[in-house]
Amino acid sequence: MTGLLLSGALHAAEPSPVPGKHTFALGTEDFLLDGQPVQIRSGELHPGRIPREYWRHRLRMVKASGMNTVAIYLFWNQFEEEEGKFDFKTGERDIAAFIKLAQEEGLWVLLRPGPYVCGEWDLGGIPAYLMRDPKVQLRSSADENYLKAVQRYIEHLVPVVKPYLVTNGGPIVMVQVENEFGSYGEDRKYLEFLHDQWKKNGIDVPFYTADGPTDKMMKNGTLPGCAVGLDSGTEDKHWDIAKKHNPGVPVFSSETYPGWLTHWGEKWQNVGVDGVIKDMKWYMDNKKSFNFYVFHGGTNFGFTAGANDGGKGKYQADITSYDYDAILTEQGRPTAKYDGIRSTIAAALPDLKLPPVPEPIPAIEVPEFKTEPFALLRDNMPGKPVPLDQPKSFEELGQYHQGLMLYTTTLPDNRGGKLDFGTTGVRDYGLVYLDGKFIGKLDRNLAETTIDLPATTGTEKPMLTILAEAMGHINFGRRMSDDRKGLLGPVKLGAAALTGWHARAIPLADADIAKLKPGKPGADDKGVFFKGGFTLEKAADTFIDLSAYKKGVVWVNGHNLGRFWEIGPQKRLYCPAPWLKAGKNEIIILDLLQAEAAPVSGKSTLR
């Protein structure tokens, strides 16, 4: 029995998420909407990765493909950047507005609120302020301070989303308890705590968990009475494993992957169309519910990109683009996967009258324009030096939002030698200077932990400076709780640990960039701000091409587009039209490695 399909405005008899009273429940095999079996066909979007002005367009693209549901991650650290200060209203944080739009566009909602979400987002969505505690145990029932922070998050979030539960006439039909806990730990008490907190605070719709389809992950990650999400589930045996560990509830593929993530230094992902359409057909032929992760990825604007633990000490920072080789491109355009999915659904459901596909949002080429050196990092450090016997991490020093930290100390003599940063190295990228002269870099991606310092003929006790850059907290696996940034312990010159440090935070907040003091670079200045401008007759999307620059961050009209890096694969950063204007537009580029100006242009595609 196929039952009713959640397809919005198809037939008068079909329930749609217009404001009104519906019921949604878990049967023993099926999801039940108003007492009838339904197939959930979902595409995932992340409001925090999409300019707010494009929310409706992306939702309409999901709807026009034949989906009836949208799944959404909420990033806790986007709502609570500073401890105890919550923002659910400004810009892309206005999650209530997004859910309203989803309902207006005829889409039901699967809410994935964390507290942990992974998602290749910094620290998997958990606020980095928790990392200032050296004993923190993230995602654990053993850490009372962590649980109190989670409880506070839930207490602030629930009033925002509760009006939009299906029980209150809204589109939210299910809430995920946590995310992929089966691949993290064996702490049943923690999962039960989360489940109880959501219910205690008024979430009265069904819940689900999401884990990989293995015995271990199902055993550790599922909860009795909660639907089972599979990441991913495209074979009968996957469903059988879920039913064995959590019988009597529906099972669905909560993350079907049409693409995959990309790290700096890798090649672009290229997941073929055929496999995606094969999965789609399997779901339709077998009447299985599913969610495409991700339908449209969006962008890791600013410093929001996370990182992965590649094993054996390997660190893998995620690129700024979250294009993901998904069904829609980073700019929201349909791919061959989109066309194939839409055709497959139309063939399987001949009575389904699909809405027309929205017109693509325009993208333009911006002719090459000049930039000029404008300001120096060394002249624009808002923080004050903090004296330390031994260096401390960003988090211990109160900097949670990535950026940079400047560490300085005086060497005992000028003989040089091997500088050793221990097993942790510099997290995650470091530039080393002696008396202001650039010596070299340390890259955590390459597991570089030592550097040779030359003897100097100037001062007897030269000044050692390390400029440390955070490239994203690890967002998956057991090393999350230990992934602090900067210098984490003793730095040795030969056998002796250096002492007498000073640390100075450089958060690179948008407000700091707006008031840069001008300056001209010298031969050894590696942190240089460049400024340029371009004129548009009309604002439209573009991709800022930074192929001529090396490594840093770029702002356009005050908006942080994210990181760039010459190792690629990404050389162009997405700049949405709402951040541009007709007439003059300003670009500011911070390059950590380059002192010479280079031309910049805008391209109409990511690659």
Side-chain angles (χ1 to χ4, degrees):
M1 178 179 180
T2 59
L4 295 173
L5 297 168
L6 306 184
S7 52
L10 300 180
H11 308 292
E14 287 189 335
S16 62
V18 294
K21 199 70 174 178
H22 293 289
T23 63
F24 186 88
L26 306 182
T28 56
E29 294 281 342
D30 298 313
F31 297 107
L32 303 174
L33 179 67
D34 296 339
Q36 297 296 315
V38 302
Q39 180 195 38
I40 294 173
R41 304 187 307 279
S42 176
E44 183 148 341
L45 306 177
H46 300 153
R49 283 180 157 130
I50 304 168
R52 180 172 179 159
E53 294 85 349
Y54 290 158
W55 282 354
R56 191 182 293 276
H57 172 266
R58 305 302 195 258
L59 289 165
R60 286 181 173 175
M61 292 297 294
V62 171
K63 182 71 175 179
S65 73
M67 303 296 143
N68 51 42
T69 304
V70 59
I72 55 174
Y73 265 159
L74 304 187
F75 304 118
W76 172 11
N77 57 16
Q78 192 174 39
F79 304 122
E80 190 193 12
E81 292 184 351
E82 303 290 342
E83 184 176 5
K85 297 179 180 178
F86 287 88
D87 180 1
F88 293 101
K89 286 292 185 183
T90 62
E92 287 69 42
R93 298 175 181 87
D94 192 352
I95 192 61
F98 184 92
I99 296 170
K100 286 180 188 175
L101 288 177
Q103 186 167 30
E104 290 174 10
E105 296 303 324
L107 291 164
W108 302 92
V109 174
L110 299 178
L111 188 67
R112 312 183 73 190
Y116 165 78
V117 297
C118 184
E120 290 70 62
W121 187 270
D122 187 63
L123 203 58
I126 296 174
Y129 71 74
L130 290 163
M131 301 285 281
R132 70 187 175 205
D133 178 0
K135 298 180 180 179
V136 68
Q137 298 180 62
L138 303 179
R139 307 176 73 192
S140 171
S141 64
D143 189 330
E144 290 188 7
N145 289 332
Y146 170 72
L147 295 182
K148 288 178 181 176
V150 170
Q151 189 172 1
R152 181 173 63 238
Y153 168 57
I154 291 173
E155 289 173 349
H156 280 80
L157 173 63
V158 167
V160 177
V161 299
K162 186 177 178 181
Y164 305 102
L165 301 176
V166 68
T167 47
N168 295 321
I172 301 173
V173 291
M174 278 201 299
V175 174
Q176 186 175 323
V177 175
E178 216 241 19
N179 189 59
E180 297 171 343
F181 192 77
S183 58
Y184 185 82
E186 300 178 8
D187 191 348
R188 175 74 57 179
K189 187 177 178 181
Y190 172 62
L191 286 182
E192 291 172 346
F193 165 80
L194 294 176
H195 192 208
D196 291 345
Q197 286 298 313
W198 291 117
K199 292 192 295 182
K200 175 183 174 182
N201 282 278
I203 300 297
D204 58 0
V205 298
F207 294 88
Y208 72 98
T209 58
D211 291 284
T214 69
D215 280 305
K216 181 180 179 181
M217 293 179 187
M218 289 289 108
K219 178 183 176 182
N220 294 337
T222 56
L223 276 176
C226 297
V228 181
L230 299 173
D231 301 349
S232 141
T234 54
E235 299 178 31
D236 286 328
K237 66 180 181 180
H238 297 157
W239 259 255
D240 293 339
I241 293 171
K243 291 175 182 178
K244 179 177 73 173
H245 289 280
N246 199 10
V249 293
V251 180
F252 76 117
S253 180
S254 52
E255 290 192 5
T256 294
Y257 305 111
W260 198 245
L261 61 107
T262 304
H263 303 115
W264 289 110
E266 295 179 345
K267 294 181 179 179
W268 286 110
Q269 292 293 337
N270 185 14
V271 177
V273 176
D274 293 346
V276 176
I277 305 309
K278 180 181 176 182
D279 290 346
M280 181 77 248
K281 191 173 187 307
W282 189 86
Y283 293 132
M284 299 308 295
D285 290 346
N286 291 278
K287 312 300 189 292
K288 301 291 190 183
S289 291
F290 62 88
N291 170 52
F292 275 114
Y293 185 97
V294 283
F295 195 91
H296 165 63
T299 309
N300 297 314
F301 292 116
F303 303 120
T304 58
N308 278 293
D309 172 10
K312 297 182 179 180
K314 185 173 176 57
Y315 170 82
Q316 300 171 302
D318 298 318
I319 64 172
T320 297
S321 172
Y322 203 59
D323 178 83
Y324 207 84
D325 192 30
I327 297 164
L328 299 181
T329 67
E330 182 179 13
Q331 201 231 342
R333 289 177 176 257
T335 64
K337 295 173 187 177
Y338 185 94
D339 298 336
I341 286 168
R342 180 176 158 95
S343 298
T344 302
I345 292 178
L349 303 172
D351 292 334
L352 185 65
K353 300 187 187 305
L354 295 177
V357 178
E359 289 293 320
I361 290 173
I364 59 170
E365 302 269 329
V366 177
E368 188 173 277
F369 58 92
K370 292 182 179 180
T371 62
E372 299 291 341
F374 165 64
L376 305 178
L377 191 60
R378 60 178 165 81
D379 296 334
N380 290 277
M381 301 182 187
K384 295 181 179 180
V386 177
L388 303 166
D389 180 57
Q390 292 294 328
K392 292 185 177 181
S393 69
F394 282 37
E395 295 79 7
E396 291 172 293
L397 294 167
Q399 178 156 307
Y400 314 125
H401 311 310
Q402 309 289 344
L404 307 168
M405 187 77 69
L406 191 74
Y407 297 90
T408 58
T409 189
T410 301
L411 298 184
D413 55 57
N414 61 4
R415 292 178 295 177
K418 186 175 289 295
L419 193 66
D420 190 342
F421 292 83
T423 57
T424 60
V426 179
R427 292 187 175 177
D428 301 304
Y429 192 87
L431 303 181
V432 180
Y433 298 82
L434 265 182
D435 278 344
K437 182 178 181 181
F438 179 66
I439 303 301
K441 57 85 179 172
L442 292 143
D443 184 352
R444 187 180 176 193
N445 278 282
L446 302 177
E448 296 172 339
T449 59
T450 65
I451 191 168
D452 291 325
L453 297 183
T456 59
T457 57
T459 54
E460 292 184 4
K461 296 184 177 182
M463 178 72 71
L464 173 68
T465 301
I466 294 106
L467 181 66
E469 178 191 15
M471 290 289 294
H473 291 93
I474 288 174
N475 54 253
F476 183 83
R478 299 297 300 183
R479 289 180 61 200
M480 287 175 57
S481 293
D482 300 321
D483 192 33
R484 292 171 182 84
K485 301 304 179 183
L487 304 186
L488 307 192
V491 177
K492 293 182 178 181
L493 182 59
L498 299 176
T499 60
W501 291 86
H502 285 80
R504 191 167 187 172
I506 313 171
L508 298 178
D510 293 350
D512 299 325
I513 304 305
K515 51 188 180 184
L516 291 172
K517 293 183 292 185
K520 292 184 178 181
D524 285 304
D525 279 311
K526 295 294 183 184
V528 179
F529 291 94
F530 300 88
K531 183 186 282 190
F534 56 96
T535 302
L536 298 177
E537 291 185 7
K538 183 179 179 181
D541 287 2
T542 193
F543 291 82
I544 302 299
D545 190 329
L546 295 156
S547 300
Y549 280 93
K550 291 183 178 178
K551 190 178 196 301
V553 188
V554 60
W555 291 261
V556 172
N557 294 335
H559 296 277
N560 187 336
L561 301 188
R563 302 182 183 96
F564 63 90
W565 197 355
E566 62 182 339
I567 68 171
Q570 182 176 8
K571 298 293 182 74
R572 304 173 183 177
L573 297 187
Y574 175 53
C575 184
W579 295 359
L580 297 170
K581 57 189 176 182
K584 187 78 170 179
N585 293 268
E586 179 186 80
I587 184 170
I588 293 177
I589 301 164
L590 169 61
D591 197 307
L592 299 178
L593 300 175
Q594 184 163 309
E596 301 81 26
V600 176
S601 62
K603 305 297 184 182
S604 59
T605 58
L606 171 64
R607 48 178 169 142

